[in-house]
Amino acid sequence: MTAVAHTSYGALRGDASGDILVFRGVPYAAAPTGERRWRPSQPPASWAGVREAIAFGPIAPQDISPERLAKRGLTMSEDCLTLNIWTPAADDNRRPVLVFLHGGGQTQGHGAAPLIDGSRLARRGDVVMVTMNFRLGALGSLHSPDWHGRGSTNLTLRDQKQALQWVREQIGAFGGDPAAITVVGQSSGAIAISAFLAEGCALFDRAILQSGGLERVRSTAAASAVAEQFIAAGAFGFSEEPGVEEILAAQRSIDPGFVPPQGPFHPCIDGDVVGEHPLVVARTHEMPAIPVLAGTTRDEWRIFDAALDDDVFTERYVRERAQALAGDGHDADAVVAAYRADHTTLRDVASAIVTDYHFTAPTEQFVRAHAERGNTVFRYELQWTSPRPGLGACHDSCLPLVFGTLHAAPALAGDDEAARRTSDAVQDLWLEFVRGGEPWDRYEGRDGSTMLIGPESGIARGHRAEQLALWEKRYPAYG
């Protein structure tokens, strides 16, 4: 198996030490440093000879200790716009391609995480798997056009689009089919995909949205308010451009807000990359007529509430949480009552309310609108339970199952024979979709089919319709 791939920018030598060929640290854009710091990503420069692609590139600046970086054999730098490619062979075959956008609230994460190692998917499905790094936090999402000019907004999304453009143009050199690209996003990665679909992005052919808090695209006013906080924190109170540590310190000073946190660096409506809220677009406009597979885990928010003591979850606290999410004009007591019927503790009620408000309901509304326009949609809910008491089927538990990396985070989904069987089944369903097949019954709109994935998987119709209807008019698409 040759370890060299020939792109239009130059040749790359990958790692051929196993049965899957891996190209790490492949530049998809020029370094966003110096005068390019607050500018849209640009194509990389070409190179002569054969460039080594053995080691992962630096990860984007984020809050992570030097000790953790060293333990994982990683470095951190603004010069971070690289991707990683796992492929059975760099040949002339045309394999389906999966491009993964990691989560982390657009402030954390990277494409070298062991949890999203692409080797098992590439091997099991004979596909090409791609992960990437992109700018995070203020460096990727500070809404400051008055300071940095047009083109400085939503840089994280611009980086992701640049990477998708690179994949469309270059993946044939790695045994991939540029006409069969599935973009996969988890958490904030799924939010990014919803924004791309809303803007009519034509850089992928199928989309998978996992655990996306799709309501969390910020208004222009909200994003501007975050920028004001950031500037007040002193990041631009210097005679020269602030350093990375100063930027990270300013980020930490921003109030995250009540539960769920406001996501100060999620995408915002800038009138350029994001013209309208994706939920509004899904409801009112045509989006690209591509197949979509989307869903959430049953107990997304439990992993975030796990840090809180039981005595936090009083009747008053749970009602205040419901009121904060439901908003004025909604009956918070009715919301709490609707969830108490299915949950035994106040902790579970509180977590379930956020799970539906932030993840399940907006995802269902987004794909419902897509399906009702005649597009192919497959909807799921992951019910596989974490072995750690209290977590249930929590946020991030989809990752080890989809990637087959159970060993990397056994607390999320387990690492026994039953978990491995479930992971194999999930991978097979996802791969069936990626190849253009129909992994289960289509979701055709309200009260449609949802695949419940767990110890006993099966199709349900109108799954949890009563609770999801509580949030029907809470989002921009319906407000």
Side-chain angles (χ1 to χ4, degrees), residues 62 100-110 116 134 136 160 184-190 210-211 266 395-396 399:
Q62 57 195 273
F100 184 75
L101 309 182
H102 70 73
Q106 289 197 177
T107 61
Q108 296 178 309
H110 53 85
I116 59 172
F134 35 80
L136 298 172
Q160 292 167 341
V184 187
Q186 189 263 348
S187 197
S188 58
Q210 300 175 195
S211 298
H266 278 102
H395 194 63
D396 288 343
L399 294 177

Side-chain angles (χ1 to χ4, degrees), residues 459-479:
I459 292 290
R461 297 189 65 85
H463 180 59
R464 304 186 59 254
E466 178 184 354
Q467 288 90 345
L468 298 185
L470 294 170
W471 312 107
E472 190 75 359
K473 295 184 178 180
R474 183 60 184 87
Y475 306 111
Y478 303 94

Side-chain angles (χ1 to χ4, degrees), residues 57 94 146-147 167 213 236 247 273 282 292 362 374 411 425 469:
R94 289 293 178 261
D146 291 345
W147 293 279
V167 171
F236 290 96
I247 288 174
V273 181
V292 170

Side-chain angles (χ1 to χ4, degrees), residues 1-5 14-23 85-90:
M1 176 167 57
T2 179
V4 176
D15 179 358
S17 59
D19 59 340
I20 294 294
L21 185 57
V22 189
F23 295 84
I85 303 167
W86 290 261
T87 180

Side-chain angles (χ1 to χ4, degrees), residues 24-241:
R24 304 181 180 93
V26 178
Y28 67 82
T33 54
E35 294 182 354
R36 290 192 291 268
R37 173 184 261 186
W38 304 106
R39 308 307 305 161
S41 44
Q42 300 296 319
S46 300
W47 60 85
V50 179
R51 178 177 181 139
E52 295 295 321
I54 305 299
F56 289 117
I59 69 172
Q62 57 195 273
D63 277 327
I64 184 172
S65 70
E67 292 76 19
R68 287 181 65 192
L69 277 175
K71 183 178 180 180
R72 299 178 184 182
L74 298 172
T75 59
M76 188 166 68
S77 170
E78 287 186 75
D79 184 5
C80 63
L81 303 186
T82 61
L83 46 77
N84 314 296
I85 303 167
W86 290 261
T87 180
D91 54 21
D92 293 331
N93 287 347
R94 289 293 178 261
R95 299 173 178 86
V97 180
L98 286 78
V99 182
F100 184 75
L101 309 182
H102 70 73
Q106 289 197 177
T107 61
Q108 296 178 309
H110 53 85
L115 200 57
I116 59 172
D117 180 289
S119 60
R120 289 163 185 80
L121 268 176
R123 182 183 302 111
R124 185 176 187 88
D126 191 31
V127 297
V128 178
M129 185 72 222
V130 181
T131 66
M132 67 179 77
N133 296 334
F134 35 80
R135 282 174 280 187
L136 298 172
L139 289 167
S141 300
L142 187 69
H143 185 70
S144 56
D146 291 345
W147 293 279
H148 298 131
R150 182 174 174 81
S152 66
T153 58
N154 281 316
L155 294 174
T156 296
L157 299 189
R158 296 176 196 266
D159 290 348
Q160 292 167 341
K161 290 180 72 174
Q162 173 64 27
L164 287 167
Q165 182 68 48
W166 190 98
V167 171
R168 186 73 100 183
E169 295 173 352
Q170 308 297 330
I171 204 65
F174 302 86
D177 185 351
I181 295 172
T182 299
V183 63
V184 187
Q186 189 263 348
S187 197
S188 58
I191 300 173
I193 294 174
S194 75
F196 296 151
L197 287 169
E199 292 303 301
C201 181
L203 295 174
F204 48 88
D205 308 289
R206 306 173 80 80
I208 299 177
L209 286 72
Q210 300 175 195
S211 298
L214 304 190
E215 50 83 25
R216 199 174 287 191
V217 173
R218 302 171 296 154
S219 68
T220 307
S224 297
V226 169
E228 293 286 356
Q229 290 183 55
F230 182 82
I231 290 163
F236 290 96
F238 308 94
S239 59
E240 299 179 355
E241 275 282 309

Side-chain angles (χ1 to χ4, degrees), residues 273-290:
V273 181
V274 182
E276 291 184 271
H277 198 291
L279 287 171
V280 173
V281 175
R283 177 75 170 178
T284 60
H285 304 303
E286 294 282 352
M287 296 191 299
I290 68 170

